[in-house]
Amino acid sequence: MSGSTRTSQNWAPQAAFIQRRSAACWRDWADEVARRFAAGNDVVDVLAETLAVRTLFCDLLGHTATSLEHNVSVPAARDFKRVVLGTIADLSVAVAQARPDLTEGEGFELVAAACGLAGMLYPAANPPPTLLEVYAQNPDLAAACVPFVPTLKRALAALAAGLPSLR
């Protein structure tokens, strides 16, 4: 047995646990998003703000494709993908209801983009202590520490505005 196989086997139970926790985060996030849409809140604001307060979820979003989907069984990966895609599909209907200018398909794209961007932006907006020190000592590099909510809102607003023009 190679070293990489042993490493994967040793990591698999932890990855499966983390993946189950991530699936619970997806469901929790979707429940809050749907509740806020039903209350008449702006789609872009809801997507960005509900992600911003779910730091664990954002952290997990950043690790899903790079780690969590590489070290689990086929059934676990399948079940996780069903949760993710089902959640995005459910929210896409809610997006289309809250934003009649967007179709369900465009709602799907917007929700998926919100999650993908959150997974990318969260670590940049919340750098580790070493990078905070780098930014403090080198203000010219501090632009790499983006403000999470405003950056996510701007990107989602641009996407939401542009999607209908691509029909």
Side-chain angles (χ1 to χ4, degrees), residues 28-109:
D28 172 69
W29 175 67
D31 290 345
E32 179 63 13
V33 169
R35 186 188 70 71
R36 290 192 51 190
F37 284 171
N41 294 294
D42 177 74
V43 168
V44 167
D45 289 345
V46 169
L47 292 174
E49 293 167 4
T50 57
L51 285 165
V53 298
R54 287 167 172 75
T55 57
L56 173 61
F57 185 41
C58 287
D59 193 37
L60 291 171
L61 287 170
H63 291 286
T64 298
T66 59
S67 298
L68 299 179
E69 293 180 339
H70 290 263
N71 298 297
V72 294
S73 67
V74 169
R78 179 199 60 230
D79 293 347
F80 180 71
K81 283 295 187 189
R82 285 195 172 137
V83 168
V84 171
L85 294 175
T87 300
I88 295 171
D90 290 346
L91 288 177
S92 70
V93 173
V95 167
Q97 291 170 346
R99 290 268 315 242
D101 61 319
L102 296 176
T103 66
E104 286 181 22
E106 291 162 348
F108 191 97
E109 291 180 72

Side-chain angles (χ1 to χ4, degrees), residues 123-146:
N126 298 280
T130 302
L131 286 180
L132 287 174
E133 188 173 330
V134 167
Y135 301 152
Q137 293 173 9
N138 303 275
D140 59 312
L141 300 177
C145 183
V146 298

